[in-house]
Amino acid sequence: MLSQKTIDIVKSTAPILETEGTKITTCFYKMMFEAHPELLNIFNHVNQKQGRQQTALANTVYAAAKYIDQLEVIVPVVTQISHKHRGLGIKPEHYPIVGEFLLKAIKEVLGDAATDEIINAWAEAYGVIAQAFIDVEKGMYDAAANQENGWVDFKDFTVVKKEQESNVITSFYLQPKDGSGVTTYEPGQYLTIRVKIPGEEYTLNRQYSLSCAPGHDYYRISVKKEKDFDPNGKVSNYLHDHVNEGDTVEVSAPSGIFTLNMEETAPIALISGGVGLTPMMSMLETLADTGSKREIYFIHAARNEEFHAFKDDVEEITARLENGHAYYGYEKPLNANGDHHFEGYLSKSFLENIINEETITYICGPVPFLKNAVRILTELGVKDENIRYEFFGPAMDLKAEEKETVKA
Ligand SMILES: Cc1cc2nc3c(=O)[nH]c(=O)nc-3n(C[C@H](O)[C@H](O)[C@H](O)COP(=O)(O)OP(=O)(O)OC[C@H]3O[C@@H](n4cnc5c(N)ncnc54)[C@H](O)[C@@H]3O)c2cc1C
Ligand code: HEM
């Protein structure tokens, strides 16, 4: 239990984190990696370079400080992060390291303003926040290990099939190397894959959504080759170019909170851009496998016909549904007279014919695609809690951003 004095100090200094948060977390990571380079085996170096991880951490520490006396408010955020932590194998012994360098970074950035009293209050508060994460994660580790075919941390999986889905997306079918079965999972969840690429100093971890329904004797992930960039994406290119049938990758058990709620009966729209269709494939197939009678709309935007993955599969699955409908469109179609349903970006005029205020929407795609979709759905009156989205990177609160924009 924190004393009232500690709570008051933390809450009164929390606004500093809102303004200086990213400066503090940038300094934090720099100092922590200098002292503990082994942690570079866990962290995504690109998220660091792009600053997304620093911002995500700063926002969370700020929220935790603001609600230090009612941490239940941030439980959904903690749960989402803890899923990622569990997939990556973050353990209780890591927390004191983060605590030590977070406090050092606060001191470094705030200088004399960070009095001993403030630092001590923050140290105490960090202990409470860290314990909340550790407790949630313990439950997740136990659940992952104790389920049927469950395991702890990473385990070797064999690529039993590799299949091209579009000119940039390839699926990998994975089975445990030890001959055991795969665990079940919730449609929308992701695997964490760990690879050691020859010539790379550290192991690299990446998340990939499961792209088929649970219930098969394999996991399937579908990976977009991040090419034509400088530099090209490390893991996706390695998987495409060097990981073949018979090869091994390390996998940790499925995690994630972007999942299909099977209890609901309202119309549902699965909206995706590019490779963001992977969790939607799992959700769509699950709805079909369970004989759902809901109105189901699968809406997909691709760059053009050559980038369009799973076209035939989606048609086959929607045909199995009593009320399934599939729509797709291309930013720049190769065939202007083709059978696509929209051209250019996904627009309000297209969606308003499909979506109403009761529709439950799941969205996944690149950040600009997500922002556009969230804005349109908000304008169409879809309830906040029915706009559910997944990021293929550190999470952000787009609905809050949307509200800020409307206010401004
Ligand atoms: C929950 C979740 C689910 C996901 N599901 C999928 C999925 O189903 N399918 C899928 O394909 N992906 C998915 N992803 C994304 C995936 O985890 C990887 O991020 C993606 O494959 C890119 O990894 P990479 O190693 O190839 O690229 P990285 O090496 O991580 O590079 C990513 C991008 O950053 C750029 N970059 C690299 N270095 C720098 C630098 N120094 N400065 C600026 N930019 C740089 C690269 O050019 C590249 O475009 C998911 C991510 C999350 C979080
Ligand atoms: C209370 C302490 C902590 C907080 C508030 C916190 C917060 C966060 C946040 C906000 C994210 C981003 C989640 C997302 O991707 O959406 C994240 C991811 C992550 N965290 Fe933590 N974290 C804490 C402790 C730790 C510890 C102790 C470690 C291990 C040393 C750790 C390692 C990671 C890693 C590796 C990621 C993935 C980031 C990436 O993609 O590189 N975290 N954490």
Side-chain angles (χ1 to χ4, degrees):
M1 276 289 282
L2 295 173
S3 68
Q4 192 55 46
K5 191 169 175 213
T6 301
I7 292 171
D8 292 343
I9 295 174
V10 169
K11 287 185 105 166
S12 66
T13 47
I16 304 170
L17 278 172
E18 200 180 11
T19 49
E20 304 289 331
T22 308
K23 218 191 262 179
I24 292 170
T25 51
T26 305
C27 175
F28 152 76
Y29 280 118
K30 188 170 172 291
M31 291 198 289
M32 185 173 75
F33 291 139
E34 266 164 24
H36 291 276
E38 75 283 2
L39 292 178
L40 289 165
N41 285 307
I42 316 180
F43 279 88
N44 181 325
H45 312 180
V46 174
N47 289 343
Q48 291 290 325
K49 291 200 175 106
Q50 293 177 337
R52 286 184 70 179
Q53 184 57 28
Q54 290 84 332
T55 308
L57 178 61
N59 289 344
T60 310
V61 177
Y62 168 60
K66 194 167 153 194
Y67 296 109
I68 189 68
D69 51 349
Q70 36 173 334
L71 281 179
E72 62 283 2
V73 173
I74 63 158
V75 164
V77 177
V78 173
T79 310
Q80 183 261 334
I81 299 167
S82 290
H83 268 272
K84 202 162 260 184
H85 282 169
R86 206 278 298 142
L88 288 160
I90 307 304
K91 294 288 162 57
E93 55 271 26
H94 289 122
Y95 280 85
I97 304 176
V98 165
E100 178 190 343
F101 288 94
L102 204 51
L103 291 175
K104 282 189 173 150
I106 292 176
K107 258 192 191 158
E108 175 85 15
V109 172
L110 300 188
D112 291 343
T115 60
D116 284 351
E117 194 178 42
I118 290 177
I119 291 295
N120 291 339
W122 270 91
E124 252 189 273
Y126 174 80
V128 170
I129 298 166
Q131 197 56 50
F133 275 88
I134 291 168
D135 292 345
V136 170
E137 284 157 24
K138 170 152 187 4
M140 290 179 179
Y141 279 107
D142 290 348
N146 296 334
Q147 63 190 322
E148 194 182 351
N149 294 317
W151 73 99
V152 181
D153 296 331
F154 287 86
K155 147 168 142 168
D156 281 349
F157 274 66
T158 308
V159 176
V160 292
K161 184 169 152 192
K162 183 175 174 183
E163 189 167 49
Q164 192 169 352
E165 309 287 2
S166 77
N167 68 346
V168 285
I169 299 177
T170 293
S171 286
F172 296 82
Y173 291 71
L174 307 168
Q175 282 183 330
K177 205 172 176 175
D178 62 12
S180 62
V182 297
T183 62
T184 191
Y185 54 88
E186 289 188 66
Q189 289 196 305
Y190 58 82
L191 296 180
T192 306
I193 305 283
R194 183 164 73 183
V195 290
K196 181 83 186 88
I197 302 182
E200 285 290 328
E201 195 174 354
Y202 300 103
T203 55
L204 298 173
N205 303 273
R206 296 290 184 268
Q207 293 78 21
Y208 291 102
S209 301
L210 288 142
S211 63
C212 62
H216 299 282
D217 63 353
Y218 52 78
Y219 292 140
R220 183 180 73 180
I221 57 167
S222 305
V223 178
K224 177 182 168 216
K225 190 170 171 41
E226 298 290 346
K227 59 178 179 143
D228 305 327
F229 294 107
D230 183 18
N232 285 329
K234 282 189 181 161
V235 176
S236 61
N237 279 278
Y238 176 70
L239 291 172
H240 273 252
D241 297 342
H242 298 288
V243 175
N244 295 309
E245 288 172 10
D247 288 344
T248 303
V249 288
E250 289 183 293
V251 176
S252 82
S255 37
I257 58 164
F258 177 70
T259 54
L260 180 65
N261 183 334
M262 297 292 288
E263 314 271 285
E264 294 170 328
T265 53
I268 172 170
L270 306 173
I271 305 173
S272 59
V275 74
L277 90 174
T278 49
M280 307 306 170
M281 292 301 298
S282 181
M283 293 186 189
L284 184 70
E285 194 186 348
T286 304
L287 289 161
D289 288 355
T290 53
S292 174
K293 299 195 180 343
R294 293 169 80 173
E295 286 292 336
I296 297 160
Y297 303 94
F298 188 96
I299 303 163
H300 180 58
R303 204 177 309 170
N304 65 38
E305 290 84 335
E306 290 180 355
F307 287 76
H308 188 172
F310 297 117
K311 181 167 183 272
D312 295 344
D313 302 65
V314 168
E315 272 165 20
E316 181 270 313
I317 301 168
T318 25
R320 282 203 274 138
L321 283 161
E322 207 166 296
N323 296 303
H325 317 269
Y327 300 100
Y328 50 86
Y330 304 125
E331 191 186 329
K332 289 196 182 111
L334 299 175
N335 177 2
N337 302 317
D339 60 355
H340 50 270
H341 303 94
F342 61 91
E343 269 186 46
Y345 293 132
L346 196 57
S347 67
K348 186 174 173 186
S349 60
F350 177 75
L351 284 178
E352 69 191 356
N353 298 317
I354 299 172
I355 288 187
N356 64 45
E357 290 175 9
E358 300 311 315
T359 313
I360 294 170
T361 62
Y362 292 85
I363 325 163
C364 187
V367 173
F369 176 88
L370 285 177
K371 284 189 174 167
N372 182 45
V374 169
R375 181 184 53 76
I376 296 172
L377 297 173
T378 307
E379 283 172 16
L380 290 176
V382 179
K383 296 183 198 81
D384 241 22
E385 68 269 23
N386 292 340
I387 303 181
R388 305 167 188 173
Y389 48 85
E390 175 76 301
F391 287 96
F392 281 1
M396 299 183 242
D397 188 349
L398 291 183
K399 282 179 265 185
E401 277 191 23
E402 177 56 25
K403 281 185 195 138
E404 286 301 315
T405 318
V406 172
K407 261 195 281 170

